[in-house]
Amino acid sequence: MAYPSASGIPSMSGTYTPEIWSGKLLEKFYGATVLAFIANTDYEGEIKDSGDTVWIRTLPDMIIRDYIKGQPLIADSPEPEKKALLIDKGLYYNVAISDVDAKQSDIAFMDKWGADASQRIKLRQDTVILADIYADAGVDNAGTTAGKISGNINLGTTGAPLALANVASAGVAAIVDKVVECGQVLDEQDRPDEDRWIVLPAWACTRIKTSELKDASMTGDGKSTLRSGRIGMIDRWTIYSSNSLPYVTDGGARSFHCPFGHKSALTYASQFVKNEVLKNPNDFGDLMRGLHVFGWEVINPDSMGVLYAKAA
């Protein structure tokens, strides 16, 4: 191997210096995934393959009537509704591991790649599902007249996204105030106080952290936000930060659909149905591949709303 000398003339060591493969891998960082914290898996059941359907039965509302002495009683026949949770989405990975690579046996590549695939599948699911669910929010839980009873809460709408900042000003709303108003929206739907969540983009979480009310309104639990994106609580909301939220350009600004709700709103089911290693028919070595199937459904729209906003 040749190395530069002090005179600038290469000299030869006379000994071959072999390449060294490090036993450590460069650390990888992943975006936070929130699906496991905002959805329930109550109806997951036994999933064997893509295309399976889980049927969810709902309890019908009982009709309560005024009693009048001597009047014949009316007999109602409540019909339970059912919703279909269709497991119709699939994600897979298929990796060729040559015998040459396998010689680097100081690193368990299969374990590392399997873990990487699992995390990337979670991120992909978040992106797909968060881009879909906001459209299924209850009609009283979105828009410029949100609130089932009050009807006077502005949560933004197409063509008029809310401009949010850490403090209110002309044409700009204070983000903490809006988060609290989202709580009122669920209050008017008689949703429970616990298990409430809201997903916000990183810029909105920054507005919260720099707001005037941050010390009084925001609480944390000392846990790392790694993987979950949890940054703390406001009112009864658990706040999650996600870079997977969908956005559109509206009025020249990026506007985000930020879902909020109670955990009863969204149900989700998933499973790795295939995870196998087999001989590569086209090369010396193996194939490592896996198939993950999943599906979701907003089963209780009145338990979910959407805040449509842009950064001020």
Side-chain angles (χ1 to χ4, degrees):
M1 189 70 178
Y3 293 92
S5 65
S7 63
I9 301 174
S11 62
M12 299 298 294
S13 66
T15 304
Y16 173 69
T17 303
E19 293 180 344
I20 299 174
W21 289 88
S22 173
K24 298 180 180 179
L25 291 173
L26 184 66
E27 184 176 3
K28 298 188 72 171
F29 297 97
Y30 300 95
T33 55
V34 301
L35 183 59
F37 305 97
I38 69 174
N40 68 74
T41 56
D42 297 342
Y43 312 101
E44 195 163 48
E46 185 178 355
I47 304 169
K48 293 183 175 64
D49 210 340
S50 181
D52 283 1
T53 300
V54 179
W55 287 100
I56 303 168
R57 291 173 292 182
T58 62
L59 188 67
D61 292 334
M62 300 299 294
I63 299 175
I64 307 301
R65 303 179 185 278
D66 292 325
Y67 174 73
I68 300 176
K69 184 178 179 180
Q71 178 177 300
L73 302 181
I74 299 174
D76 299 304
S77 300
E79 291 290 337
E81 296 181 1
K82 63 180 181 180
K83 294 180 180 288
L85 172 57
L86 183 61
I87 314 303
D88 59 349
K89 299 292 187 295
L91 298 170
Y92 78 93
Y93 62 90
N94 187 23
V95 181
I97 304 174
S98 72
D99 285 342
V100 175
D101 291 334
K103 291 297 182 182
Q104 306 302 324
S105 57
D106 56 322
I107 296 178
F109 278 110
M110 288 190 181
D111 293 341
K112 298 294 185 182
W113 285 341
D116 182 70
S118 177
Q119 191 60 36
R120 290 190 177 279
I121 283 173
K122 292 179 183 179
L123 287 167
R124 180 73 173 273
Q125 287 178 149
D126 268 29
T127 300
V128 172
I129 295 176
L130 289 175
D132 175 80
I133 60 173
Y134 72 87
D136 294 327
V139 294
D140 292 319
N141 302 345
T144 57
T145 57
K148 183 179 180 180
I149 298 173
S150 59
N152 62 357
I153 300 173
N154 183 6
L155 296 181
T157 189
T158 301
L162 288 177
L164 298 180
N166 52 354
V167 294
S169 61
V172 176
I175 189 167
V176 171
D177 292 347
K178 281 299 167 185
V179 170
V180 174
E181 286 180 0
C182 288
Q184 179 185 334
V185 168
L186 284 200
D187 289 344
E188 294 186 11
Q189 293 284 10
D190 295 318
R191 302 302 105 165
D193 289 342
E194 66 276 4
D195 291 330
R196 292 188 180 191
W197 53 264
I198 184 169
V199 184
L200 299 172
W203 63 261
C205 293
T206 297
R207 301 297 191 275
I208 290 174
K209 294 173 183 177
T210 57
S211 69
E212 294 178 345
L213 300 177
K214 63 181 182 296
D215 293 333
S217 301
M218 190 161 185
T219 60
D221 58 4
K223 295 181 180 179
S224 170
T225 62
L226 183 64
R227 300 287 187 271
S228 73
R230 186 188 190 280
I231 68 167
M233 296 189 71
I234 293 178
D235 193 13
R236 293 148 294 170
W237 295 110
T238 300
I239 312 294
Y240 293 99
S241 174
S242 174
N243 289 330
S244 298
L245 281 173
Y247 64 83
V248 296
T249 300
D250 193 348
R254 289 185 177 182
S255 301
F256 292 74
H257 294 96
C258 307
F260 63 86
H262 182 264
K263 207 168 184 178
S264 63
L266 175 65
T267 194
Y268 163 79
S270 72
Q271 185 169 313
F272 270 101
V273 294
K274 300 288 184 182
N275 199 359
E276 58 192 14
V277 177
L278 61 158
K279 287 298 181 183
N280 188 345
N282 300 314
D283 197 0
F284 297 105
D286 299 319
L287 291 174
M288 181 180 72
R289 63 189 188 185
L291 173 62
H292 182 84
V293 298
F294 66 103
W296 69 93
E297 186 71 28
V298 177
I299 59 173
N300 195 336
D302 288 343
S303 291
M304 191 174 70
V306 59
L307 174 65
Y308 183 57
K310 64 181 180 181

